[in-house]
Coordinates of all heavy atoms in Angstrom, one line a residue:
M952 N 0.8 -1.2 0.0 CA 0.0 0.0 0.0 C 0.9 1.3 0.0 O 0.6 2.2 -0.8 CB -0.9 0.0 1.2 CG -1.8 1.2 1.4 SD -3.0 1.2 0.1 CE -3.9 2.6 0.5
V953 N 1.9 1.3 0.9 CA 2.7 2.5 0.9 C 3.5 2.6 -0.4 O 3.7 3.7 -0.9 CB 3.7 2.4 2.1 CG1 4.7 3.5 2.1 CG2 2.9 2.3 3.4
V954 N 3.9 1.5 -1.0 CA 4.7 1.6 -2.2 C 3.8 2.1 -3.3 O 4.2 2.9 -4.2 CB 5.3 0.2 -2.5 CG1 5.9 0.1 -3.9 CG2 6.3 -0.3 -1.5
D955 N 2.5 1.7 -3.3 CA 1.6 2.2 -4.4 C 1.4 3.7 -4.2 O 1.4 4.4 -5.2 CB 0.3 1.4 -4.3 CG 0.3 0.1 -4.9 OD1 1.2 -0.2 -5.7 OD2 -0.5 -0.8 -4.6
V956 N 1.2 4.1 -3.0 CA 1.0 5.6 -2.8 C 2.2 6.4 -3.2 O 2.1 7.4 -3.9 CB 0.6 5.9 -1.3 CG1 0.6 7.3 -1.0 CG2 -0.7 5.3 -1.0
L957 N 3.4 5.9 -2.8 CA 4.6 6.6 -3.2 C 4.8 6.5 -4.7 O 5.2 7.5 -5.3 CB 5.8 5.9 -2.5 CG 7.2 6.5 -2.8 CD1 7.2 8.0 -2.3 CD2 8.3 5.7 -2.1
S958 N 4.5 5.4 -5.3 CA 4.6 5.3 -6.8 C 3.7 6.2 -7.5 O 4.1 6.9 -8.4 CB 4.3 3.8 -7.2 OG 4.2 3.7 -8.6
W959 N 2.5 6.3 -7.1 CA 1.5 7.2 -7.7 C 1.9 8.7 -7.5 O 1.7 9.6 -8.3 CB 0.1 7.0 -7.3 CG -0.4 5.8 -8.1 CD1 -0.7 4.5 -7.6 CD2 -0.8 5.8 -9.5 NE1 -1.1 3.7 -8.6 CE2 -1.2 4.5 -9.8 CE3 -0.7 6.7 -10.5 CZ2 -1.6 4.1 -11.0 CZ3 -1.1 6.3 -11.8 CH2 -1.5 5.1 -12.0
F960 N 2.4 9.0 -6.3 CA 2.9 10.3 -6.0 C 4.0 10.7 -6.9 O 4.0 11.8 -7.5 CB 3.4 10.4 -4.5 CG 4.0 11.7 -4.2 CD1 3.2 12.9 -4.0 CD2 5.4 11.8 -4.1 CE1 3.8 14.1 -3.7 CE2 6.0 13.0 -3.8 CZ 5.2 14.2 -3.6
L961 N 5.0 9.8 -7.2 CA 6.1 10.1 -8.1 C 5.6 10.2 -9.5 O 6.1 11.1 -10.3 CB 7.1 9.0 -8.0 CG 8.0 9.0 -6.7 CD1 8.8 7.7 -6.6 CD2 8.8 10.2 -6.7
L962 N 4.7 9.3 -9.9 CA 4.1 9.4 -11.3 C 3.4 10.7 -11.5 O 3.6 11.4 -12.6 CB 3.2 8.2 -11.6 CG 3.9 6.9 -11.7 CD1 2.9 5.8 -11.8 CD2 4.8 6.8 -13.0
L963 N 2.6 11.1 -10.6 CA 1.8 12.4 -10.8 C 2.8 13.6 -10.6 O 2.6 14.5 -11.4 CB 0.7 12.5 -9.7 CG -0.4 11.5 -9.9 CD1 -1.4 11.6 -8.8 CD2 -1.1 11.7 -11.2
G964 N 3.7 13.5 -9.7 CA 4.7 14.6 -9.6 C 5.5 14.7 -10.9 O 5.8 15.8 -11.3
G965 N 5.9 13.6 -11.5 CA 6.6 13.7 -12.7 C 5.8 14.3 -13.8 O 6.3 15.0 -14.7
G966 N 4.5 14.0 -13.9 CA 3.6 14.6 -14.9 C 3.5 16.1 -14.7 O 3.5 16.8 -15.6
V967 N 3.4 16.5 -13.4 CA 3.3 17.9 -13.1 C 4.6 18.6 -13.5 O 4.6 19.7 -14.1 CB 3.0 18.2 -11.6 CG1 3.1 19.6 -11.2 CG2 1.6 17.7 -11.3
V968 N 5.7 18.0 -13.2 CA 7.0 18.7 -13.6 C 7.1 18.7 -15.1 O 7.6 19.7 -15.6 CB 8.2 17.9 -13.0 CG1 9.5 18.3 -13.5 CG2 8.2 18.0 -11.5
G969 N 6.7 17.7 -15.8 CA 6.7 17.7 -17.3 C 5.8 18.9 -17.8 O 6.2 19.6 -18.8
I970 N 4.6 19.0 -17.2 CA 3.8 20.1 -17.7 C 4.4 21.5 -17.4 O 4.4 22.4 -18.3 CB 2.4 20.0 -17.1 CG1 1.7 18.8 -17.7 CG2 1.5 21.2 -17.3 CD1 0.4 18.4 -16.9
L971 N 4.9 21.6 -16.2 CA 5.6 22.9 -15.9 C 6.8 23.2 -16.8 O 7.0 24.3 -17.1 CB 6.0 22.9 -14.4 CG 4.8 23.0 -13.4 CD1 5.4 22.9 -12.0 CD2 4.0 24.2 -13.6
G972 N 7.5 22.1 -17.1 CA 8.7 22.3 -18.0 C 8.2 22.8 -19.4 O 8.8 23.6 -20.1
G973 N 7.1 22.2 -19.8 CA 6.5 22.6 -21.1 C 6.0 24.1 -21.1 O 6.3 24.8 -22.1
V974 N 5.5 24.5 -20.0 CA 5.0 25.9 -19.9 C 6.3 26.8 -19.9 O 6.3 27.8 -20.5 CB 4.2 26.1 -18.6 CG1 4.0 27.5 -18.3 CG2 2.9 25.3 -18.7
G975 N 7.3 26.3 -19.2 CA 8.6 27.1 -19.2 C 9.2 27.2 -20.5 O 9.7 28.3 -20.9
L976 N 9.1 26.2 -21.3 CA 9.6 26.3 -22.7 C 8.9 27.3 -23.5 O 9.4 28.0 -24.4 CB 9.5 24.9 -23.4 CG 10.6 23.9 -23.0 CD1 10.2 22.5 -23.7 CD2 11.9 24.3 -23.5
L977 N 7.6 27.4 -23.3 CA 6.8 28.4 -24.0 C 6.9 29.8 -23.5 O 6.9 30.8 -24.2 CB 5.3 28.0 -24.0 CG 5.0 26.7 -24.8 CD1 3.5 26.3 -24.5 CD2 5.3 26.8 -26.2
R978 N 7.1 30.0 -22.2 CA 7.0 31.3 -21.6 C 8.3 32.0 -21.3 O 8.4 33.2 -21.2 CB 6.2 31.2 -20.2 CG 4.8 30.7 -20.4 CD 3.9 31.7 -21.0 NE 3.8 32.8 -20.1 CZ 3.2 33.9 -20.3 NH1 2.6 34.1 -21.4 NH2 3.2 34.9 -19.5
F979 N 9.4 31.2 -21.1 CA 10.7 31.8 -20.8 C 11.2 32.7 -21.9 O 11.0 32.4 -23.1 CB 11.7 30.8 -20.3 CG 11.5 30.3 -18.9 CD1 12.1 29.1 -18.5 CD2 10.7 30.9 -18.0 CE1 12.0 28.6 -17.2 CE2 10.5 30.4 -16.7 CZ 11.1 29.3 -16.4
P980 N 11.9 33.8 -21.6 CA 12.2 34.8 -22.6 C 13.3 34.4 -23.6 O 13.3 34.9 -24.7 CB 12.6 36.0 -21.8 CG 13.1 35.5 -20.5 CD 12.3 34.2 -20.2
D981 N 14.3 33.7 -23.2 CA 15.5 33.5 -24.1 C 15.9 32.0 -24.2 O 15.3 31.2 -23.5 CB 16.7 34.4 -23.7 CG 17.3 34.0 -22.4 OD1 16.6 33.3 -21.6 OD2 18.4 34.4 -22.2
F982 N 16.8 31.8 -25.0 CA 17.2 30.4 -25.3 C 17.8 29.7 -24.0 O 17.4 28.5 -23.8 CB 18.3 30.4 -26.4 CG 18.9 29.1 -26.6 CD1 18.3 28.1 -27.3 CD2 20.2 28.8 -26.1 CE1 18.8 26.9 -27.5 CE2 20.8 27.5 -26.3 CZ 20.1 26.6 -27.0
Y983 N 18.6 30.4 -23.2 CA 19.2 29.8 -22.1 C 18.2 29.4 -21.0 O 18.3 28.4 -20.4 CB 20.3 30.7 -21.6 CG 21.4 30.8 -22.6 CD1 21.5 32.0 -23.4 CD2 22.3 29.8 -22.9 CE1 22.5 32.1 -24.3 CE2 23.3 29.9 -23.8 CZ 23.4 31.1 -24.5 OH 24.3 31.2 -25.5
S984 N 17.3 30.3 -20.7 CA 16.3 29.9 -19.7 C 15.3 28.8 -20.2 O 14.9 28.0 -19.5 CB 15.5 31.2 -19.3 OG 14.9 31.8 -20.4
R985 N 15.1 28.8 -21.5 CA 14.3 27.7 -22.1 C 15.1 26.4 -22.0 O 14.5 25.3 -21.7 CB 13.9 28.0 -23.5 CG 12.8 29.1 -23.6 CD 12.5 29.4 -25.0 NE 11.5 30.5 -25.0 CZ 11.2 31.1 -26.1 NH1 11.8 30.9 -27.3 NH2 10.3 32.1 -26.1
L986 N 16.3 26.5 -22.2 CA 17.2 25.3 -22.1 C 17.2 24.8 -20.7 O 17.2 23.6 -20.5 CB 18.6 25.7 -22.6 CG 19.6 24.5 -22.7 CD1 19.1 23.5 -23.7 CD2 20.9 25.0 -23.1
H987 N 17.2 25.7 -19.7 CA 17.1 25.3 -18.3 C 15.8 24.6 -18.1 O 15.8 23.5 -17.4 CB 17.2 26.5 -17.4 CG 17.0 26.2 -16.0 ND1 17.9 25.5 -15.2 CD2 16.0 26.5 -15.2 CE1 17.4 25.4 -14.0 NE2 16.2 26.0 -14.0
A988 N 14.7 25.1 -18.6 CA 13.4 24.4 -18.4 C 13.4 23.0 -19.0 O 12.9 22.0 -18.4 CB 12.3 25.2 -18.9
A989 N 14.0 22.9 -20.2 CA 14.1 21.6 -20.9 C 15.0 20.7 -20.1 O 14.6 19.5 -20.0 CB 14.5 21.8 -22.3
G990 N 16.1 21.2 -19.6 CA 17.0 20.3 -18.9 C 16.4 19.8 -17.6 O 16.5 18.6 -17.2
M991 N 15.6 20.7 -16.9 CA 15.0 20.2 -15.6 C 13.9 19.2 -16.0 O 13.7 18.2 -15.2 CB 14.4 21.4 -14.9 CG 15.4 22.4 -14.3 SD 16.5 21.6 -13.2 CE 15.4 21.2 -11.9
T992 N 13.2 19.4 -17.1 CA 12.2 18.5 -17.4 C 12.8 17.1 -17.8 O 12.3 16.1 -17.4 CB 11.4 19.0 -18.6 OG1 10.8 20.2 -18.2 CG2 10.2 18.1 -19.0
D993 N 13.9 17.2 -18.5 CA 14.5 15.9 -18.9 C 15.0 15.1 -17.7 O 14.9 13.9 -17.7 CB 15.8 16.2 -19.8 CG 15.4 16.5 -21.2 OD1 14.3 16.2 -21.6 OD2 16.3 16.9 -22.0
T994 N 15.5 15.8 -16.8 CA 16.1 15.0 -15.6 C 15.1 14.7 -14.5 O 14.8 13.6 -14.2 CB 17.3 15.8 -15.0 OG1 16.9 17.1 -14.7 CG2 18.5 15.8 -16.0
L995 N 14.4 15.7 -14.0 CA 13.5 15.5 -12.9 C 12.3 14.8 -13.2 O 11.8 13.9 -12.5 CB 13.2 16.9 -12.2 CG 12.4 16.8 -10.9 CD1 13.2 16.0 -9.9 CD2 12.1 18.2 -10.4
C996 N 11.7 15.2 -14.4 CA 10.4 14.5 -14.8 C 10.7 13.0 -15.1 O 10.0 12.2 -14.6 CB 9.9 15.2 -16.0 SG 8.5 14.5 -16.8
A997 N 11.8 12.8 -15.9 CA 12.1 11.4 -16.2 C 12.5 10.6 -14.9 O 12.1 9.4 -14.8 CB 13.2 11.4 -17.2
L998 N 13.2 11.2 -14.0 CA 13.6 10.5 -12.8 C 12.3 10.1 -12.0 O 12.2 9.0 -11.6 CB 14.5 11.5 -12.0 CG 14.8 10.9 -10.6 CD1 15.9 9.9 -10.7 CD2 15.3 12.1 -9.7
M999 N 11.4 11.1 -11.8 CA 10.2 10.8 -11.0 C 9.4 9.7 -11.6 O 8.9 8.8 -11.0 CB 9.4 12.1 -10.7 CG 10.2 13.0 -9.8 SD 9.3 14.5 -9.5 CE 8.1 14.0 -8.3
I1000 N 9.2 9.8 -13.0 CA 8.3 8.9 -13.6 C 8.9 7.5 -13.7 O 8.3 6.5 -13.4 CB 8.0 9.4 -15.1 CG1 7.0 10.5 -15.0 CG2 7.4 8.2 -15.9 CD1 6.7 11.2 -16.3
I1001 N 10.2 7.4 -13.9 CA 10.8 6.1 -14.0 C 10.9 5.4 -12.6 O 10.7 4.2 -12.5 CB 12.2 6.2 -14.7 CG1 12.0 6.5 -16.2 CG2 13.0 4.9 -14.6 CD1 13.2 6.7 -17.0
V1002 N 11.2 6.2 -11.6 CA 11.3 5.6 -10.3 C 9.9 5.2 -9.9 O 9.7 4.1 -9.2 CB 11.9 6.6 -9.3 CG1 11.7 6.1 -7.8 CG2 13.3 6.8 -9.5
G1003 N 8.9 5.9 -10.2 CA 7.5 5.5 -10.0 C 7.1 4.2 -10.7 O 6.5 3.3 -10.1
L1004 N 7.6 4.1 -11.9 CA 7.4 2.8 -12.7 C 8.1 1.7 -12.1 O 7.6 0.5 -12.1 CB 7.8 3.0 -14.1 CG 6.8 3.9 -14.9 CD1 7.4 4.2 -16.3 CD2 5.4 3.3 -15.0
I1005 N 9.4 1.9 -11.6 CA 10.1 0.9 -10.9 C 9.4 0.4 -9.7 O 9.3 -0.8 -9.4 CB 11.6 1.4 -10.6 CG1 12.4 1.5 -11.9 CG2 12.3 0.4 -9.6 CD1 13.7 2.1 -11.7
L1006 N 8.9 1.3 -8.9 CA 8.1 0.9 -7.7 C 6.9 0.1 -8.1 O 6.5 -0.9 -7.4 CB 7.7 2.1 -6.9 CG 8.9 2.8 -6.2 CD1 8.4 4.1 -5.5 CD2 9.6 1.9 -5.2
Q1007 N 6.2 0.5 -9.2 CA 5.1 -0.3 -9.7 C 5.4 -1.7 -10.1 O 4.7 -2.7 -9.9 CB 4.3 0.4 -10.8 CG 3.5 1.6 -10.3 CD 2.2 1.1 -9.6 OE1 1.6 0.2 -10.1 NE2 1.9 1.8 -8.5
A1008 N 6.6 -1.8 -10.8 CA 7.0 -3.1 -11.4 C 7.5 -4.1 -10.3 O 7.5 -5.3 -10.5 CB 8.1 -2.9 -12.4
G1009 N 8.0 -3.5 -9.2 CA 8.6 -4.4 -8.2 C 10.0 -4.9 -8.6 O 10.6 -4.3 -9.5
F1010 N 10.5 -5.8 -7.9 CA 11.9 -6.3 -8.2 C 11.8 -7.4 -9.4 O 11.4 -8.5 -9.1 CB 12.6 -6.9 -7.0 CG 14.0 -7.3 -7.3 CD1 14.9 -6.3 -7.4 CD2 14.4 -8.6 -7.4 CE1 16.3 -6.6 -7.7 CE2 15.7 -8.9 -7.7 CZ 16.6 -7.9 -7.8
S1011 N 12.1 -6.9 -10.6 CA 12.0 -7.8 -11.7 C 13.0 -7.4 -12.8 O 13.7 -6.4 -12.6 CB 10.6 -7.8 -12.3 OG 10.3 -6.6 -12.8
L1012 N 13.0 -8.1 -13.9 CA 13.9 -7.7 -15.0 C 13.4 -6.4 -15.6 O 14.3 -5.6 -16.0 CB 13.8 -8.8 -16.1 CG 14.7 -8.6 -17.3 CD1 16.2 -8.5 -16.9 CD2 14.5 -9.7 -18.3
L1013 N 12.1 -6.1 -15.6 CA 11.6 -4.8 -16.1 C 12.2 -3.7 -15.2 O 12.6 -2.6 -15.8 CB 10.1 -4.8 -16.0 CG 9.4 -3.5 -16.5 CD1 9.8 -3.3 -17.9 CD2 7.9 -3.6 -16.3
S1014 N 12.2 -3.8 -13.9 CA 12.8 -2.7 -13.1 C 14.3 -2.5 -13.4 O 14.7 -1.4 -13.3 CB 12.5 -3.0 -11.6 OG 13.1 -4.2 -11.2
V1015 N 15.0 -3.6 -13.6 CA 16.4 -3.4 -14.0 C 16.5 -2.7 -15.3 O 17.4 -1.8 -15.4 CB 17.1 -4.8 -14.1 CG1 18.5 -4.7 -14.6 CG2 17.1 -5.5 -12.7
K1016 N 15.7 -3.0 -16.3 CA 15.7 -2.3 -17.6 C 15.4 -0.8 -17.4 O 16.0 0.1 -18.0 CB 14.8 -2.9 -18.6 CG 15.3 -4.3 -19.0 CD 14.2 -4.9 -20.0 CE 14.6 -6.3 -20.4 NZ 13.6 -6.9 -21.3
L1017 N 14.4 -0.5 -16.5 CA 14.0 0.9 -16.3 C 15.1 1.6 -15.6 O 15.4 2.8 -15.9 CB 12.7 0.9 -15.4 CG 11.4 0.6 -16.2 CD1 10.3 0.4 -15.2 CD2 11.1 1.6 -17.2
A1018 N 15.8 1.0 -14.7 CA 16.9 1.6 -14.0 C 18.1 1.9 -15.0 O 18.7 3.0 -14.9 CB 17.4 0.7 -12.9
L1019 N 18.3 1.0 -15.9 CA 19.3 1.3 -16.9 C 18.9 2.5 -17.8 O 19.8 3.3 -18.2 CB 19.6 0.0 -17.8 CG 20.3 -1.1 -17.1 CD1 20.4 -2.3 -17.9 CD2 21.7 -0.7 -16.6
V1020 N 17.6 2.5 -18.2 CA 17.2 3.7 -19.0 C 17.3 5.0 -18.2 O 17.8 6.0 -18.7 CB 15.7 3.5 -19.4 CG1 15.1 4.7 -19.9 CG2 15.6 2.3 -20.4
L1021 N 17.0 4.9 -16.9 CA 17.2 6.1 -16.0 C 18.6 6.5 -16.0 O 19.0 7.7 -16.1 CB 16.6 5.8 -14.6 CG 16.8 6.9 -13.6 CD1 16.0 8.1 -14.1 CD2 16.3 6.4 -12.3
L1022 N 19.5 5.6 -15.8 CA 20.9 5.9 -15.7 C 21.4 6.5 -17.0 O 22.2 7.5 -17.0 CB 21.7 4.6 -15.4 CG 23.2 4.7 -15.2 CD1 23.4 5.5 -13.9 CD2 23.9 3.3 -15.1
F1023 N 21.0 6.0 -18.2 CA 21.3 6.5 -19.4 C 20.8 8.0 -19.6 O 21.6 8.9 -20.0 CB 20.7 5.7 -20.6 CG 21.0 6.2 -21.9 CD1 22.2 6.1 -22.5 CD2 20.0 6.9 -22.7 CE1 22.5 6.6 -23.8 CE2 20.2 7.4 -23.9 CZ 21.5 7.2 -24.5
L1024 N 19.6 8.2 -19.1 CA 19.0 9.6 -19.2 C 19.7 10.5 -18.3 O 20.0 11.7 -18.6 CB 17.5 9.6 -18.9 CG 16.6 9.0 -19.9 CD1 15.2 9.0 -19.4 CD2 16.7 9.9 -21.2
L1025 N 20.1 10.1 -17.1 CA 20.8 11.0 -16.2 C 22.2 11.3 -16.6 O 22.7 12.4 -16.2 CB 20.9 10.3 -14.8 CG 19.5 10.2 -14.1 CD1 19.7 9.5 -12.7 CD2 18.9 11.6 -13.9
F1026 N 22.8 10.5 -17.5 CA 24.1 10.9 -18.1 C 24.0 11.7 -19.3 O 24.7 12.7 -19.5 CB 24.9 9.6 -18.4 CG 25.6 9.1 -17.2 CD1 25.3 7.8 -16.7 CD2 26.7 9.8 -16.6 CE1 26.0 7.3 -15.6 CE2 27.3 9.2 -15.5 CZ 27.0 8.0 -15.0
T1027 N 23.0 11.4 -20.2 CA 22.9 12.1 -21.5 C 22.2 13.4 -21.5 O 22.6 14.3 -22.2 CB 22.3 11.2 -22.5 OG1 21.0 10.8 -22.1 CG2 23.1 9.9 -22.8
S1028 N 21.2 13.6 -20.7 CA 20.4 14.8 -20.7 C 21.2 16.0 -20.3 O 21.2 17.0 -21.0 CB 19.1 14.7 -19.8 OG 18.3 13.7 -20.4
P1029 N 21.9 16.0 -19.1 CA 22.7 17.2 -18.8 C 23.8 17.4 -19.8 O 24.1 18.6 -20.1 CB 23.2 16.9 -17.4 CG 22.4 15.8 -16.9 CD 21.9 15.0 -18.0
T1030 N 24.4 16.4 -20.3 CA 25.4 16.5 -21.3 C 24.9 17.2 -22.6 O 25.5 18.1 -23.1 CB 26.0 15.2 -21.7 OG1 26.5 14.5 -20.4 CG2 27.2 15.3 -22.6
A1031 N 23.7 16.8 -23.0 CA 23.1 17.4 -24.2 C 22.8 18.9 -23.9 O 23.0 19.7 -24.8 CB 21.9 16.6 -24.6
S1032 N 22.3 19.2 -22.8 CA 21.9 20.6 -22.4 C 23.2 21.4 -22.4 O 23.2 22.6 -22.9 CB 21.2 20.7 -21.1 OG 20.0 20.0 -21.1
H1033 N 24.3 20.9 -21.8 CA 25.5 21.6 -21.8 C 26.1 21.8 -23.2 O 26.6 22.9 -23.5 CB 26.5 20.8 -20.9 CG 27.9 21.5 -20.8 ND1 28.1 22.6 -20.1 CD2 29.0 21.2 -21.5 CE1 29.4 22.9 -20.2 NE2 30.0 22.1 -21.1
A1034 N 26.0 20.8 -24.0 CA 26.5 21.0 -25.4 C 25.7 22.0 -26.2 O 26.3 22.8 -26.9 CB 26.5 19.6 -26.1
L1035 N 24.4 22.0 -26.0 CA 23.6 23.0 -26.7 C 23.9 24.4 -26.2 O 24.1 25.4 -27.0 CB 22.1 22.8 -26.4 CG 21.5 21.7 -27.3 CD1 20.1 21.4 -26.8 CD2 21.4 22.1 -28.7
A1036 N 24.1 24.6 -24.9 CA 24.4 26.0 -24.4 C 25.8 26.4 -24.8 O 26.0 27.5 -25.2 CB 24.4 25.9 -22.8
R1037 N 26.7 25.5 -24.8 CA 28.1 25.8 -25.3 C 28.1 26.1 -26.8 O 28.8 27.1 -27.2 CB 29.0 24.6 -25.0 CG 30.4 24.8 -25.3 CD 31.2 24.7 -24.0 NE 32.6 24.8 -24.3 CZ 33.3 25.6 -23.6 NH1 32.8 26.3 -22.6 NH2 34.6 25.8 -23.8
A1038 N 27.3 25.4 -27.6 CA 27.2 25.7 -29.0 C 26.6 27.1 -29.2 O 27.1 27.8 -30.1 CB 26.4 24.6 -29.7
A1039 N 25.6 27.4 -28.4 CA 25.0 28.7 -28.6 C 25.9 29.8 -28.2 O 26.0 30.9 -28.9 CB 23.7 28.8 -27.8
L1040 N 26.7 29.7 -27.1 CA 27.7 30.7 -26.7 C 28.7 30.8 -27.8 O 29.2 31.9 -28.1 CB 28.3 30.3 -25.4 CG 27.6 30.8 -24.2 CD1 28.3 30.3 -22.9 CD2 27.5 32.3 -24.1
T1041 N 29.2 29.7 -28.3 CA 30.2 29.7 -29.4 C 29.7 30.5 -30.6 O 30.5 31.2 -31.3 CB 30.7 28.3 -29.7 OG1 31.1 27.7 -28.5 CG2 31.7 28.3 -30.8
D1042 N 28.4 30.3 -30.9 CA 27.8 30.9 -32.1 C 27.5 32.4 -31.8 O 27.1 33.1 -32.7 CB 26.6 30.2 -32.4 CG 26.1 30.5 -33.9 OD1 27.0 30.6 -34.7 OD2 24.9 30.6 -34.1
G1043 N 27.7 32.9 -30.6 CA 27.6 34.3 -30.3 C 26.2 34.7 -29.7 O 25.9 35.9 -29.6
L1044 N 25.4 33.7 -29.4 CA 24.1 34.0 -28.7 C 24.3 34.4 -27.3 O 24.8 33.5 -26.5 CB 23.2 32.8 -28.9 CG 21.8 33.0 -28.3 CD1 21.0 34.1 -29.1 CD2 21.0 31.7 -28.4
K1045 N 24.1 35.6 -26.9 CA 24.3 36.1 -25.5 C 23.0 35.9 -24.7 O 21.9 36.0 -25.2 CB 24.7 37.6 -25.5 CG 25.9 37.9 -26.3 CD 27.1 37.6 -25.4 CE 28.4 38.1 -26.2 NZ 29.5 37.4 -25.8
P1046 N 23.2 35.6 -23.4 CA 22.0 35.5 -22.6 C 21.4 36.8 -22.4 O 22.0 37.9 -22.5 CB 22.6 35.0 -21.2 CG 23.9 34.4 -21.5 CD 24.4 35.1 -22.8
E1047 N 20.0 36.8 -22.3 CA 19.3 38.1 -22.2 C 19.7 38.9 -21.0 O 19.8 38.3 -19.9 CB 17.8 37.8 -22.2 CG 16.9 39.0 -22.3 CD 15.5 38.6 -22.5 OE1 15.2 38.1 -23.6 OE2 14.7 38.9 -21.6
G1048 N 19.9 40.2 -21.2 CA 20.3 41.0 -20.0 C 21.8 41.1 -19.8 O 22.2 41.9 -19.0
E1049 N 22.6 40.3 -20.5 CA 24.0 40.4 -20.3 C 24.6 41.6 -21.1 O 24.3 41.8 -22.3 CB 24.7 39.1 -20.8 CG 26.2 39.1 -20.6 CD 26.8 37.8 -21.0 OE1 26.4 36.8 -20.3 OE2 27.7 37.8 -21.9
Q1050 N 25.5 42.3 -20.4 CA 26.1 43.5 -21.1 C 27.3 43.0 -21.9 O 28.0 42.0 -21.4 CB 26.6 44.5 -20.0 CG 25.5 45.0 -19.2 CD 24.6 45.9 -19.9 OE1 25.0 46.6 -20.9 NE2 23.3 46.0 -19.6
S1051 N 27.6 43.6 -23.0 CA 28.8 43.2 -23.7 C 30.0 43.8 -23.0 O 30.0 44.7 -22.3 CB 28.7 43.7 -25.2 OG 28.8 45.1 -25.2
S1052 N 31.2 43.1 -23.2 CA 32.4 43.6 -22.5 C 32.9 44.9 -23.0 O 33.8 45.5 -22.4 CB 33.4 42.4 -22.6 OG 33.7 42.2 -24.0
N1053 N 32.5 45.3 -24.2 CA 33.0 46.6 -24.8 C 32.3 47.8 -24.3 O 32.8 48.9 -24.3 CB 32.9 46.6 -26.3 CG 33.8 45.5 -26.9 OD1 34.8 45.1 -26.3 ND2 33.4 45.0 -28.1
S1054 N 31.1 47.7 -23.6 CA 30.4 48.9 -23.2 C 30.6 49.1 -21.7 O 31.1 48.4 -21.0 CB 28.9 48.7 -23.5 OG 28.4 47.6 -22.8

């Protein structure tokens, strides 16, 4: 019973974080803050949903596979966000509100 409640709490929480991340993608003003919203959605939303699914599955081969998917996401999502931000900075896209060094 406690595992089911915790699992549903994580599944619903992950859904809420995903919706809030989607709203952030639409409402945030510049590329970097939108990238932050996408990065938080990639990591926290996926973490909560997959842990909730692991709790629902119990100890089985499926939960091991879900844990491997979670591990892959936890390594690749922040790396992809960092690579996108670095590429944007290299391309000359400044964060909103940042003053140039010449003025």
Side-chain angles (χ1 to χ4, degrees):
M952 178 68 180
V953 174
V954 173
D955 281 339
V956 170
L957 182 62
S958 172
W959 280 107
F960 174 76
L961 287 171
L962 289 171
L963 292 175
V967 168
V968 169
I970 290 171
L971 291 176
V974 170
L976 281 174
L977 293 174
R978 301 285 299 174
F979 282 165
D981 67 341
F982 173 77
Y983 295 102
S984 55
R985 288 180 181 164
L986 187 62
H987 173 71
M991 292 301 293
T992 302
D993 278 351
T994 54
L995 187 60
C996 174
L998 174 76
M999 291 178 79
I1000 288 176
I1001 291 177
V1002 170
L1004 289 174
I1005 288 173
L1006 291 176
Q1007 283 288 318
F1010 186 71
S1011 65
L1012 182 60
L1013 178 62
S1014 62
V1015 173
K1016 290 178 183 178
L1017 286 169
L1019 289 175
V1020 168
L1021 177 64
L1022 187 67
F1023 178 75
L1024 283 175
L1025 289 179
F1026 278 113
T1027 56
S1028 294
T1030 305
S1032 295
H1033 177 77
L1035 280 173
R1037 186 119 177 129
L1040 270 176
T1041 302
D1042 199 37
L1044 182 63
K1045 300 279 185 208
E1047 189 170 291
E1049 181 176 300
Q1050 301 289 330
S1051 67
S1052 60
N1053 295 336
S1054 61

